[in-house]
Amino acid sequence: MIIEVIAIRVEDVEIAAASGADRIELVTGIAEGGLTPSVGLVEAAVKASSLPVNVMVRPHSQSFCYSESDMTIMLRDIEVIRAAGAAGIVIGSLDVDGDIHIGQLERFIRTAEGLDITFHRAFDEVQDKQTALHVLAQYPQISRVLTAGGTLPALQSTESIRALQETSHGLAIKIMGGYGLNGDNVSDFLRATGVPEVHFGSGVRHNGSFLEGIASERIARIRTILNGAS
């Protein structure tokens, strides 16, 4: 069972690594849902521990529809992220109809050659998630989809996530559940969905707030719960 933790500072990476996390999602602008961090932060995060660091590639929070200017920036960011030694990227792109933007996705994939790829919660704005999952699964470079099953917290969308998880069994792609998960609800969430990976943000921080640091005991508790569930 994989625990992914959002980091916004180098200290987050160090604490998460020491507490039982398996992977880092590195972002900045968390109040806007996560934006691309600086190259300095990416380089420092990669050096801070042996955990794989997957870096958000998102130039703004206006939407998941990107202009050609946005694309130029995002593709360059991917090149810089790879050069900094990150393990992967976290991306997502939708067209004007709210479906996966296949053309932009393929450009991301080509530029990210050799990097692990997570398709982020842009997926949750797609109406037909089953079709979208099959589209993403056509690309072996995409390892997983991060989803809450919709726009509500993940624990309120377990039926949708369970359906996606069952579909993923026949596909070369994983489902990672996230949004609103913590040590108090993760056990129920896993029983309801069966996902192999879980994603934590404010739920592993002091007072459940991104204004405060990661609480090592919260990650350790989740690790213990997941070890017992495996």
Side-chain angles (χ1 to χ4, degrees), residues 45 51 63 65 91 107 115 139 150-152 167 202 206 212 219 224 228:
L51 290 187
S63 75
C65 296
I91 60 168
R107 292 170 70 187
L115 294 177
Y139 302 94
T151 57
L152 297 174
T167 299
S202 60
H206 293 288
E212 302 197 32
I219 297 178
T224 298

Side-chain angles (χ1 to χ4, degrees), residues 34 38 52-53 67 71 86 89 131 147 177 183 191 214-215:
S38 71
V53 175
S67 68
M71 287 297 295
I89 58 170
T131 296
T147 181
R191 280 195 296 270
I214 288 177

